[in-house]
Amino acid sequence: MTGLDLTPAPRARRPRPKVVTLTERAAERVREIMSKPRKDGAEKPYAGLRVGVKNGGCAGQEYVLEYAEAANPFDEVVEDKGVTILVEPKAVLFLIGTEIDYEVSKLSAKFVFRNPNETDACGCGESVTIEPAKEA
């Protein structure tokens, strides 16, 4: 034995891109919603906005947005423009590169997902077909 330490030195990890981002309009709307008193009367504020994908609709999949009481152990936590977004683990590959916007028109106000992984959408705009992100 030579007494040399052959343990590799830890390497700095390169920064990972955010799975999803928000436009300023979307971030402003989420901050506004989250600042209001909770409808269930609880004092504790929400931990963030949970984003996911579920099977459903005529195109096969639907986006899901809901208030999150706490981060789940495997959620991808994204901080963007002062908003905490919790991405469900099974949705990460479907949402990589997605920008969430908030649009207001004469007939509706809604969050809109601009997802580069979408391959199709139904006519009513309520469901989409999403392929997992390809390796770069």
Side-chain angles (χ1 to χ4, degrees):
M1 286 279 180
T2 63
L4 294 175
D5 183 8
L6 300 177
T7 307
R11 295 188 312 180
R13 295 185 79 168
R14 66 183 165 149
R16 294 186 336 185
K18 294 179 181 179
V19 175
V20 297
T21 58
L22 298 170
T23 64
E24 191 54 51
R25 284 187 304 256
E28 184 178 316
R29 181 64 179 140
V30 172
R31 287 191 301 265
E32 179 184 326
I33 291 169
M34 296 291 200
S35 70
K36 294 181 180 179
R38 289 179 47 166
K39 292 182 180 183
D40 62 5
E43 296 289 324
K44 182 180 174 189
Y46 290 109
L49 182 68
R50 179 163 287 113
V51 179
V53 176
K54 70 176 185 174
N55 291 334
C58 49
Q61 295 165 304
E62 298 173 340
Y63 295 111
V64 178
L65 290 173
E66 61 187 15
Y67 301 116
E69 296 280 336
N72 291 331
F74 297 107
D75 282 345
E76 179 81 18
V77 179
V78 177
E79 299 286 340
D80 192 30
K81 298 177 180 66
V83 174
T84 301
I85 306 162
L86 306 171
V87 182
E88 294 176 346
K90 65 182 182 180
V92 169
L93 285 177
F94 294 101
L95 295 175
I96 291 174
T98 298
E99 177 185 66
I100 303 172
D101 196 5
Y102 183 72
E103 294 181 351
V104 178
S105 69
K106 290 181 182 181
L107 299 176
S108 69
K110 61 185 176 180
F111 287 99
V112 176
F113 289 72
R114 294 192 184 99
N115 186 343
N117 306 305
E118 276 184 28
T119 58
D120 197 13
C122 68
C124 66
E126 293 296 318
S127 67
V128 293
T129 303
I130 311 169
E131 297 291 327
K134 304 287 190 257
E135 186 176 342

